[in-house]
Amino acid sequence: MGEASLAFANAGFGLRVTKAGKVRVNFTTPGQARVRIVVEPGATLDYVESAEGDGFQNIGMDVSVGAGAVFTHARVARKGAGVRIEDINATVADQASYRMHVANFGAELSRLELKIALNGEGASAHLSGVSVLDNAHADVTTHIIHAQGNTQSTQLFKHVVGGKARAVYQGKITVAEGSNGSDSRQTAKALLLDERAEADLKPELEIFADDVKCAHGAAVGDLD
């Protein structure tokens, strides 16, 4: 869907930050949009995003985080009808950091797909999220690539699922050959509130280096 947002986008914007900035963006109408964000070396950006409204919404985002920069991304997806998709591709340079915090309340079909490449020594990605669903769907799919050594990533996603709702978490970590010293942790948990509620959690590791620390875990439980 990222290619579709590029080919058929009817809205969009570009943002380049050289020192420090704070930006708030609201996506409220149906349609397809493309976003390009560049955080220059040593800069910081706090980016707050909300997605709301009904209908079909498809957002493609490309993020480049320069050496020593910090990009903090907060996303709130409010409950809505229809289809809501966001596809994010990010690259993180030496000693830079991508930090994302997500709150998702679902839609008829809701999907957030995030791919982060840690391309520089000492780069990091820290992701956290919560989904609170009642007769709605929310899918979070992540892929973090440790392309260089001494990189770090953490993921913590929690879900509360009621009614006939469905929560999906798919988290993949790839540690490339030669990326020694990489440290990765991912955790996913879900609480089911009704018999028809469903949670599918799938953490995955793909490791091609020897001297690494990688861990993952998933747990689903219901109320007595």
Side-chain angles (χ1 to χ4, degrees):
M1 297 303 289
E3 292 79 5
S5 68
L6 179 60
F8 303 108
N10 51 20
F13 63 89
L15 181 64
R16 182 181 295 271
V17 180
T18 58
K19 292 185 178 180
K22 296 182 179 180
V23 176
R24 181 182 294 273
V25 178
N26 296 325
F27 295 102
T28 60
T29 57
Q32 304 194 68
R34 198 72 184 181
V35 178
R36 172 64 173 159
I37 295 176
V38 176
V39 186
E40 295 284 6
T44 61
L45 174 61
D46 294 336
Y47 179 85
V48 180
E49 168 194 352
S50 67
E52 52 192 87
D54 301 328
F56 176 74
Q57 191 176 84
N58 182 26
I59 301 166
M61 180 182 294
D62 294 301
V63 180
S64 177
V65 187
V70 177
F71 177 57
T72 303
H73 185 178
R75 182 178 189 268
V76 179
R78 307 187 189 280
K79 186 175 181 180
V83 176
R84 183 180 295 148
I85 298 170
E86 181 155 355
D87 191 308
I88 301 171
N89 282 279
T91 59
V92 186
D94 296 11
Q95 305 299 325
S97 181
Y98 187 120
R99 303 171 182 173
M100 187 175 195
H101 313 287
V102 178
N104 200 337
F105 298 94
E108 185 177 331
L109 174 62
S110 171
R111 181 180 178 90
L112 171 63
E113 186 160 352
L114 179 64
K115 182 178 181 181
I116 301 177
L118 303 177
N119 290 338
E121 190 91 4
S124 65
H126 301 286
L127 314 179
S128 65
V130 59
S131 295
V132 181
L133 308 176
D134 181 18
N135 296 318
H137 175 282
D139 179 330
V140 177
T141 297
T142 67
H143 185 192
I144 298 179
I145 302 169
H146 290 254
Q148 294 292 331
N150 299 313
T151 48
Q152 183 183 46
S153 69
T154 60
Q155 298 184 64
L156 176 60
F157 286 89
K158 297 185 177 182
H159 312 269
V160 180
V161 192
K164 299 179 182 179
R166 183 186 182 196
V168 179
Y169 167 77
Q170 303 177 86
K172 182 176 182 180
I173 297 294
T174 299
V175 181
E177 185 176 355
S179 298
N180 296 326
S182 295
D183 187 341
S184 174
R185 288 164 286 158
Q186 56 176 322
T187 302
K189 297 182 178 182
L191 178 64
L192 305 179
L193 303 182
D194 292 284
E195 292 183 357
R196 301 289 296 277
E198 179 180 347
D200 302 307
L201 310 180
K202 183 188 175 186
E204 180 180 353
L205 296 175
E206 188 176 44
I207 302 172
F208 299 101
D210 295 325
D211 183 17
V212 300
K213 295 179 181 179
C214 293
H216 64 74
V220 179
D222 56 7
L223 295 177
D224 187 350

